[in-house]
């Protein structure tokens, strides 16, 4: 197989040569300039581990992890490339991570998810669709009547929904669709819900129990705890990137036109290091569907691990105030410190202002989306205008999310078998292009199962049957023998 030199990310497997050739920075596959170009995340690392360490592994990036990496600002604040936390469907995955990083409280913090949606100038418990009791009365009525209408319409429907938008209306009704689901998902995907399919949903989006929703409104009850990540783990030191650096140390030292029909969105990760004590208790990540801020999600990253911020005794100058203005005092002073990590999406349907903007003090010049995020944090009451910013971080990731577009499955049904026929196992977040199996545990197991398929002809359950692997804890395959 010949590769065009202009391709950015390559994955090649030729069984007779026992060679895995990678130039990976992010997750997965991309067919580009008639070359098989792969954006690989955790897949190649675990492919090499699984293949009994016999193959050569070539990595373009200086460190393993792809998008599951962690950057550190000059001031000592850590920021992941998005809201990565560890929750797993596989015992194999858990055992491997514990082997690499350790399995005690020195290595991991175990946290209870505390998440809310900020809208209508109030906090609404996550998931939104189970907690409409927190909304104003007129919105409660819109949501409840829409739910009842949707239940009736879904009962008599003779066909399955054909788009994500139709699924939202069929399951939740026009009230929840207009108030939350449509505006929030456009901020996440940077693509209208009418242009997305619904086969990817599974456990990704909570459905609605109409009777439960009505009961919650009558009893004014908050109803959280849904989903597989209600309890999660996070490294005590080094952020998410520390996990995959540790896994990489388990390895020995030696070691076409379809693309135009697939869609992706870009991600902007913006981080703020702030002097003072965090005013938000134990909150984890928070959702923002409204247009008073550019971000769709904010994570209180300092709540995940104390080491995500500099030590309290470290003296740092104030770069600027939270609104971007000049600080009154430029002297270095001690903490404590806390931090916020924001995620902003971008696409041809949702462009961003990236013109340079000069902030006050010594903060320097940043793209406009950074200033807009700072002002949005004030508007959504995450910070106040007189908070002191001691660190600013921004990174744009071209390939952030693989969009489950309406035409995605038709492309994959042609592209993946064609690549496989030519000796290429195209896996990972952008490799298999399936968001429903794009978490860290999924990406690792895609590599494990690809290796077993190469060696033994085993079935690739994660790739071909996401609903099965996502519905249970998978303990059939183990990293450590009992």
């Amino acid at each position: 197989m010949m590769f065009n030199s202009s391709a950015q990310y390559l994955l090649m497997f030729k069984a007779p040569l026992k060679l895995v050739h990678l130039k990976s920075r992010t997750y997965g596959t991309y067919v580009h300039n008639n070359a098989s170009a792969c954006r690989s995340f955790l897949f190649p690392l675990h492919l090499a581990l699984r293949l009994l360490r016999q193959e050569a592994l070539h990595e373009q990036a200086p460190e393993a992890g792809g998008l599951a990496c962690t950057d550190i600002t000059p001031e000592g604040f850590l920021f992941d490339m998005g809201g990565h936390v560890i929750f797993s469907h596989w015992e194999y995955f858990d055992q491997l991570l514990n082997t690499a990083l350790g399995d005690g409280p020195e290595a991991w913090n175990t946290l209870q998810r505390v998440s809310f949606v900020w809208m209508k100038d109030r906090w609404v418990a996550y998931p939104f669709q189970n907690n409409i009791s927190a909304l104003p009365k007129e919105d409660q009525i819109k949501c409840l009547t829409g739910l009842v209408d949707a239940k009736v319409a879904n009962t008599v429907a003779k066909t399955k929904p054909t788009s994500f938008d139709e699924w939202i209306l069929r399951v939740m009704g026009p009230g929840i669709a207009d108030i939350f689901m449509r505006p929030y998902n456009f901020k996440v995907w940077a693509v209208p819900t009418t242009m997305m399919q619904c086969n990817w949903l599974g456990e990704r989006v909570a459905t609605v129990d109409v009777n439960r929703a009505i009961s919650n409104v009558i009893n004014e009850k908050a109803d959280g705890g849904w989903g597989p990540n209600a309890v999660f783990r996070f490294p005590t030191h080094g952020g998410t990137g520390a996990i995959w650096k540790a896994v990489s140390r388990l390895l020995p030292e030696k070691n076409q036109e379809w693309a135009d029909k697939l869609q992706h969105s870009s991600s902007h990760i913006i981080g703020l290091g702030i002097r003072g004590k965090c005013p938000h208790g134990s909150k984890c990540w928070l959702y923002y569907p409204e247009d008073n801020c550019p971000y769709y999600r904010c994570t209180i990253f300092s709540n995940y691990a104390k080491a995500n911020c500099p030590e309290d005794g470290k003296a740092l100058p104030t770069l600027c105030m939270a609104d971007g203005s000049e600080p009154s005092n430029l002297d270095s002073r001690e903490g404590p410190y806390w931090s916020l990590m924001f995620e902003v999406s971008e696409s041809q349907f949702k462009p961003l202002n990236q013109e340079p903007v000069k902030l006050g003090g010594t903060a320097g010049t940043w793209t406009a989306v950074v200033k807009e995020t700072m002002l949005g944090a004030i508007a959504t009451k995450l910070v106040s205008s007189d908070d002191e910013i001691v660190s600013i971080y921004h990174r744009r990731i071209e390939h952030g999310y693989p969009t489950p577009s309406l035409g995605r499955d038709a492309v994959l049904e042609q592209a993946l078998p064609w690549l496989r026929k030519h000796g290429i196992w195209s896996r990972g977040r952008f490799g298999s292009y399936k968001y429903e199996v794009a978490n860290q545990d999924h990406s690792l197991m895609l590599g494990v199962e690809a290796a077993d398929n190469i060696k033994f002809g085993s079935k690739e359950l994660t790739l071909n049957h996401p609903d099965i692997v996502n519905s249970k804890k998978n303990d059939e395959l183990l990293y450590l023998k009992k």
Side-chain angles (χ1 to χ4, degrees):
M1 172 65 69
M2 298 297 294
F3 291 96
N4 190 312
S5 60
S6 65
Q8 294 177 336
Y9 305 96
L10 307 178
L11 165 64
M12 180 176 72
F13 183 87
K14 290 286 189 180
L17 299 178
K18 293 191 175 179
L19 173 69
V20 177
H21 182 185
L22 297 151
K23 289 184 180 178
S24 66
R25 188 65 188 90
T26 53
Y27 326 48
T29 286
Y30 196 51
V31 180
H32 176 64
N33 289 349
N34 296 319
S36 299
C38 296
R39 305 191 184 283
S40 177
F41 171 36
L42 303 176
F43 161 68
L45 186 61
H46 310 298
L47 176 68
L49 280 170
R50 191 65 176 169
L51 287 173
L52 301 180
R53 303 181 175 93
Q54 294 175 350
E55 283 61 39
L57 180 65
H58 303 279
E59 170 63 63
Q60 181 188 43
E63 295 177 333
L67 286 182
C69 64
T70 303
D71 281 350
I72 305 176
T73 70
E75 297 80 13
F77 288 86
L78 277 66
F79 293 105
D80 281 358
M81 300 304 100
H84 300 306
V85 297
I86 295 298
F87 60 97
S88 164
H89 297 88
W90 285 273
E91 190 67 28
Y92 182 103
F93 179 88
D94 297 336
Q95 291 177 345
L96 174 57
L97 266 58
N98 289 342
T99 299
L101 198 65
D103 60 359
E106 298 81 11
W108 299 95
N109 289 328
T110 300
L111 303 167
Q112 184 82 31
R113 183 193 66 216
V114 182
S115 295
F116 291 86
V117 178
W118 177 262
M119 63 182 304
K120 307 287 184 178
D121 209 29
R122 67 189 69 196
W123 290 116
V124 179
Y126 170 88
F128 173 88
Q129 47 270 44
N130 288 350
N131 291 282
I132 55 180
S133 59
L135 297 175
K137 291 297 181 184
E138 59 271 23
D139 289 329
Q140 291 182 21
I141 294 170
K142 290 178 184 176
C143 291
L144 288 179
T145 55
L147 278 171
V148 172
D149 291 344
K151 186 171 184 178
V152 173
N154 198 35
T155 301
V156 299
K158 299 186 184 304
T159 59
K160 293 181 178 180
T162 58
S163 70
F164 186 26
D165 195 78
E166 188 178 340
W167 182 91
I168 292 170
L169 291 173
R170 186 86 64 86
V171 173
M172 302 181 188
I176 293 177
D178 291 336
I179 292 171
F180 177 71
M181 291 296 289
R182 282 169 170 159
Y184 176 71
N185 278 285
F186 183 67
K187 290 184 79 172
V188 173
W189 295 102
V191 172
T193 53
T194 53
M195 297 178 64
M196 296 173 63
Q197 50 121 309
C198 54
N199 295 334
W200 60 277
L201 290 165
E203 63 175 12
R204 293 286 187 172
V205 179
T207 56
V208 185
D209 182 327
V210 177
N211 293 334
R212 184 172 173 178
I214 294 172
S215 175
N216 288 344
V217 169
I218 293 173
N219 295 308
E220 298 182 350
K221 178 186 175 184
D223 188 358
W226 174 86
N229 56 10
V231 176
F232 62 92
R233 296 195 297 169
F234 194 86
T236 57
H237 293 85
T240 296
I243 302 169
W244 306 111
K245 291 177 186 177
V247 171
S248 70
R249 288 193 290 270
L250 298 177
L251 287 169
E253 292 186 5
K254 62 174 183 177
N255 249 357
Q256 306 335 56
E257 69 274 8
W258 287 321
D260 297 331
K261 298 178 182 178
L262 295 173
Q263 295 178 336
H264 72 275
S265 61
S266 301
S267 295
H268 290 255
I269 309 300
I270 298 160
L272 297 178
I274 308 158
R275 192 191 316 279
K277 292 185 177 180
C278 175
H280 298 295
S282 59
K283 290 185 177 70
C284 298
W285 61 86
L286 310 164
Y287 301 94
Y288 295 87
E290 298 176 313
D291 59 6
N292 57 352
C293 64
Y295 44 89
Y296 62 87
R297 181 165 58 189
C298 174
T299 298
I300 303 176
F301 204 57
S302 50
N303 276 351
Y304 283 7
K306 178 66 175 174
N308 285 349
C309 292
E311 293 184 359
D312 294 349
K314 182 174 182 177
L316 294 173
T318 301
L319 301 181
C320 65
M321 305 306 290
D323 60 0
S325 63
E326 187 95 14
S328 59
N329 187 342
L330 293 174
D331 295 338
S332 294
R333 289 177 290 120
E334 295 183 352
Y337 304 104
W338 62 291
S339 62
L340 296 171
M341 180 184 67
F342 304 88
E343 296 168 79
V344 183
S345 64
E346 175 198 347
S347 75
Q348 60 178 320
F349 307 105
K350 185 176 172 287
L352 295 179
N353 183 0
Q354 299 184 60
E355 293 297 317
V357 173
K358 190 176 188 313
L359 302 177
T362 59
T365 299
W366 299 83
T367 59
V369 69
V370 173
K371 176 69 177 291
E372 292 168 3
T373 294
M374 295 170 68
L375 297 178
I378 296 171
T380 57
K381 300 183 180 179
L382 283 167
V383 298
S384 61
S385 58
D386 58 355
D387 278 329
E388 300 177 20
I389 305 301
V390 299
S391 186
I392 301 174
Y393 174 84
H394 173 238
R395 180 170 172 178
R396 181 184 181 276
I397 302 166
E398 172 62 32
H399 284 78
Y401 284 89
T403 306
S405 57
L406 292 174
R408 182 200 72 171
D409 288 356
V411 172
L412 297 182
E413 286 168 3
Q414 297 179 68
L416 292 179
W418 185 90
L419 290 168
R420 174 64 184 85
K421 180 180 177 180
H422 289 80
I424 301 170
W425 281 254
S426 180
R427 306 290 183 265
R429 185 173 219 179
F430 278 93
S432 30
Y433 230 91
K434 293 185 176 182
Y435 178 68
E436 54 268 42
V437 283
N439 285 342
Q440 295 178 76
D441 60 337
H442 295 120
S443 296
L444 185 148
M445 295 308 298
L446 285 168
V448 169
E449 292 178 6
D452 285 356
N453 179 262
I454 291 167
K455 290 171 62 180
F456 309 119
S458 305
K459 300 289 186 182
E460 294 184 81
L461 195 63
T462 303
L463 174 71
N464 296 311
H465 301 284
D467 289 345
I468 294 177
V469 299
N470 285 337
S471 66
K472 62 187 180 75
K473 187 72 172 185
N474 299 279
D475 57 5
E476 297 86 357
L477 182 64
L478 301 177
Y479 179 73
L480 300 174
K481 294 181 179 179
K482 293 184 177 179

